[in-house]
Amino acid sequence: MTPRGPARPEPGQTVETRIVYEFHRCGITHVIYCPDSATRALRDVVEAEPGLTLVPVCREGEALGIATGLMLGGKEPVVVHQSTGLFESGDSIRGLALDLGLPVLMLIDYRGWRPTSPATDSAAVFVEPVLRAWGIRYHVLAPGDDPGMISRAFAEARERQAPVAILLAGEDGRS
Amino acid sequence: MIDHLRALEIISRHRGDAVVVTTMSAGFVWPKVSANPGLDLMHSDAMGKISSVGLGLALALPDRRVIVLDGDGSLLMNLGTLVTIAHMAPRNLLHFVLGNDTYLTSGSQSIPNAGRIDFAGLAAAAGYAGAHRFEDGESLGRDLAAITAQPGPTFVYLKVGPAWTASRARNTPARAMLSRFRAALWEAYRRMRPPATGAVGSSDDRALAARIEKLRARESSGGAGGCGP
């Protein structure tokens, strides 16, 4: 397909800029966001980006409700929050995203992720088992990985008519 | 106090071509009075989130009024929604709360601090463009047309009696309900005549109709989303 939005990012650009480029490739219209220190820079890039509407929420459980309405109305939202927010929004994930078969993309900051040693932060320990328990496919976007994974996950969600998560893994044990 | 069914009848008379999203007690009774069931969406299985669904629809469909029929117990499970709605400020959102001071569908337990919560005051303080409270059907019937003519987001608290629950039945299977609603929404936009030249939002309307058609074609073909490697 022909990418929409800004020109393809150049090497050396920030991961946030490259993520926003992927949003444009997918035709994302709204970024539903709950505050998280690790994705603060992404929030700022989104807020300044023409063609993307930032929807800040007070708590993560709201996000999938808003995403449901946006998708019913023909828009393309993405949900961005921390792994702790995944736990908080469990009933919305079950009752909306899973029961309704919502092909929504969730970008989840993988708090406490460690590349080479077992996680000790419970926010990291439980996130993958919880996603597996819900039957939600997910992919880990680790430092150095190609953010093109986001577009592939978006397509995967459409194909499966189900939510798909990208776990944004940052520096060792951040957040 | 307004009879629950009468409150919904009054809302139905002022509905126009609005999309209506409902939950819990109101959702069980609304089908008795709705004149446009195709554009009704009832969902109770993510407690408290129907106002969030309504917000998303209102943002996606800026030229169509979206009515939320919420309950007081439901709103209390998602109280931050008032601030989120106020922040996004959709002019087309009309948020009703039918207040009976109980969690009716779970056995009529009292809500916390029952009888002492100023719900309209909460909405006003959160930043809604308008917030109103009614305790009698006569006043509601008299004032609702004027309220709906004002830009939103607008909050209307209705002090109601017990809901007529004989119609309470198991929800239509969620995905079937969603498919029916989405099909009705698409049909509504396909039928939409081109607005008069210079009409506010006319280009948005046409763009939206085209976009929805594109999404429908893509999904009905079973194909993937419009992006990928």
Side-chain angles (χ1 to χ4, degrees), chain B residues 11 17 26 53-54 78 91 97 110 125 129 132 143 164 191 198 225-226:
Chain B
I11 294 169
D17 64 355
V53 175
N78 187 22
R91 295 164 61 93
V97 167
S110 290
H132 311 269
D143 295 346
W164 182 76
R191 283 201 315 264

Side-chain angles (χ1 to χ4, degrees), chain B residues 157-228:
Chain B
Y157 176 85
L158 305 176
K159 180 66 178 169
V160 296
W164 182 76
T165 56
S167 63
R168 182 177 174 183
R170 186 170 178 79
N171 290 352
T172 304
R175 294 190 188 196
M177 171 199 64
L178 197 72
S179 296
R180 187 190 63 196
F181 175 77
R182 188 154 48 182
L185 200 58
W186 281 327
E187 184 62 26
Y189 273 86
R190 188 173 25 242
R191 283 201 315 264
M192 188 172 58
R193 291 188 305 173
T197 303
V200 174
S202 57
S203 60
D204 283 351
D205 255 1
R206 286 191 293 270
L208 177 62
R211 179 158 179 73
I212 289 174
E213 283 296 315
K214 182 179 169 189
L215 278 170
R216 188 173 77 125
R218 190 169 72 186
E219 293 188 351
S220 64
S221 71
C227 71

